[in-house]
């Protein structure tokens, strides 16, 4: 679209869609928070946030989400520069293909994550939502490492599609776990968004070290290796933390309550 209409036209179109969706949400979704206020319930945001961070299940989930957002944002910022440097003759095709991968594969992954949780059902040892989130991160780490090590453009694009297909399954289960575990869902969701904001630092950190002499013998860290280690490390860290969150007692109790409801 940007090639045909220019970036300005595309931005206006995206803004128009956003306005329509906001209007639909405003007029079509019931404001349950207003009902709580009528009942005299008031939320101390600061104390609630401190409580959420002090509880191990939610704190662990926030840390896992921070690493997972860091991986995704780093891919988003550096994927195109990597493909341009690795396959300069195919960058035009990548621009079109990447848009389809992000939208279609990402959507399919998100739907598959929810379906996987439903199929797993209730477990006594670990929360099914966190199993799906952890598995998603592990599979995405492998797929991404294969993407940046692929020798040809077609193989790299196919592996990138696979990365998105398995890598976006974490979001719904993570939000579901958070809403079930937290006393105040609104504040909990707000802190969840804060982790996404903090993760914006990750792409800049990678840019600062790429080209530096960090390898044994004074060799420079290339973009492909930097992406493999940085993104892969964030994925693995998030997987471990997701799994840890799922094994905590509060996570198990809330998973049972959610199943009964």
């Amino acid at each position: 679209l940007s090639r045909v209409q220019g970036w300005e036209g595309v931005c206006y179109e995206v803004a128009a869609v956003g306005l329509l969706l906001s209007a639909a949400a405003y007029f079509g979704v019931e404001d349950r928070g207003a009902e709580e206020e009528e009942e005299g319930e008031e939320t101390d945001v600061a104390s609630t946030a401190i409580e959420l961070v002090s509880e191990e299940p939610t704190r662990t989930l926030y840390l896992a989400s921070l690493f997972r957002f860091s991986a995704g944002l780093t891919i988003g910022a550096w994927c195109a520069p990597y493909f341009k440097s690795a396959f300069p003759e195919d960058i035009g095709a990548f621009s079109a293909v990447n848009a389809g991968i992000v939208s279609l594969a990402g959507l399919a992954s998100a739907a598959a994550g929810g379906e996987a949780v439903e199929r797993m059902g209730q477990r006594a040892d670990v929360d099914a939502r966190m199993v799906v989130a952890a598995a998603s991160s592990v599979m995405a780490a492998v797929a991404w490492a294969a993407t940046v090590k692929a020798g040809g453009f077609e193989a790299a694009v196919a592996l990138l599609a696979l990365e998105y297909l398995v890598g976006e399954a974490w979001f719904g289960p993570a939000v579901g776990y958070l809403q079930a575990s937290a006393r105040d869902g609104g504040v909990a969701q707000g802190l969840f968004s804060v982790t996404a904001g903090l993760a914006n630092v990750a792409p800049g950190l990678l840019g600062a070290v790429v080209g530096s002499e960090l390898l044994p013998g004074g060799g420079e860290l290339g973009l492909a290796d930097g992406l493999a280690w940085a993104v892969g490390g964030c994925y693995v860290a998030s997987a471990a933390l997701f799994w840890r969150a799922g094994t905590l007692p509060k996570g198990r109790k809330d998973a049972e309550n959610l199943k009964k409801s």
Side-chain angles (χ1 to χ4, degrees):
L1 287 175
S2 64
R3 288 175 178 240
V4 176
Q5 303 176 15
W7 280 109
E8 184 176 357
V10 173
C11 287
Y12 279 128
E13 290 176 2
V14 172
V17 173
L19 287 173
L20 290 175
L21 292 175
S22 297
Y26 181 81
F27 292 107
V29 178
E30 181 182 0
D31 187 359
R32 308 183 77 176
E35 296 177 1
E36 294 180 356
E37 291 180 3
E38 292 176 359
E39 296 172 1
E41 298 182 6
E42 295 184 0
T43 300
D44 185 338
V45 175
S47 62
T48 302
I50 293 173
E51 178 185 341
L52 287 169
V53 175
S54 65
E55 294 176 350
E56 190 174 3
T58 47
R59 182 175 66 249
T60 304
L61 179 67
Y62 286 140
L63 287 173
S65 301
L66 176 62
F67 280 109
R68 178 57 187 80
F69 278 128
S70 296
L73 291 171
T74 301
I75 291 176
W78 287 101
C79 187
Y82 165 72
F83 270 84
K84 184 177 181 179
S85 64
F87 313 104
E89 67 282 359
D90 296 306
I91 191 59
F94 171 77
S95 298
V97 172
N98 186 51
I101 289 175
V102 172
S103 58
L104 298 179
L107 178 63
S109 180
E115 179 65 20
V117 172
E118 290 294 326
R119 288 183 177 275
M120 287 186 65
Q122 180 182 338
R123 293 185 53 166
D125 55 341
V126 63
D127 192 299
R129 292 164 294 197
M130 294 295 93
V131 172
V132 172
S136 172
S137 290
V138 171
M139 291 187 291
V142 175
W144 176 251
T147 299
V148 295
K149 296 299 181 181
F153 175 74
E154 290 78 8
V157 167
L159 289 165
L160 179 64
L162 176 62
E163 192 277 337
Y164 272 94
L165 192 60
V166 299
E168 299 302 317
W170 74 282
F171 191 83
V175 172
Y177 175 90
L178 180 62
Q179 292 295 323
S181 300
R183 178 175 64 85
D184 189 296
V187 177
Q189 192 66 35
L191 288 177
F192 184 72
S193 299
V194 169
T195 65
L198 294 175
N200 280 283
V201 176
L205 291 177
L206 177 61
V209 300
V210 166
S212 303
E213 296 180 357
L214 299 178
L215 300 180
E220 291 188 355
L221 179 66
L223 181 56
D225 289 333
L227 283 170
W229 285 104
V231 173
C234 287
Y235 272 139
V236 172
S238 69
L241 289 164
F242 280 136
W243 185 269
R244 171 60 180 164
T247 61
L248 294 172
K250 185 177 180 183
R252 290 198 297 269
K253 182 191 72 172
D254 288 332
E256 294 172 1
N257 293 337
L258 184 64
K259 182 69 176 178
K260 292 176 182 178
S261 63

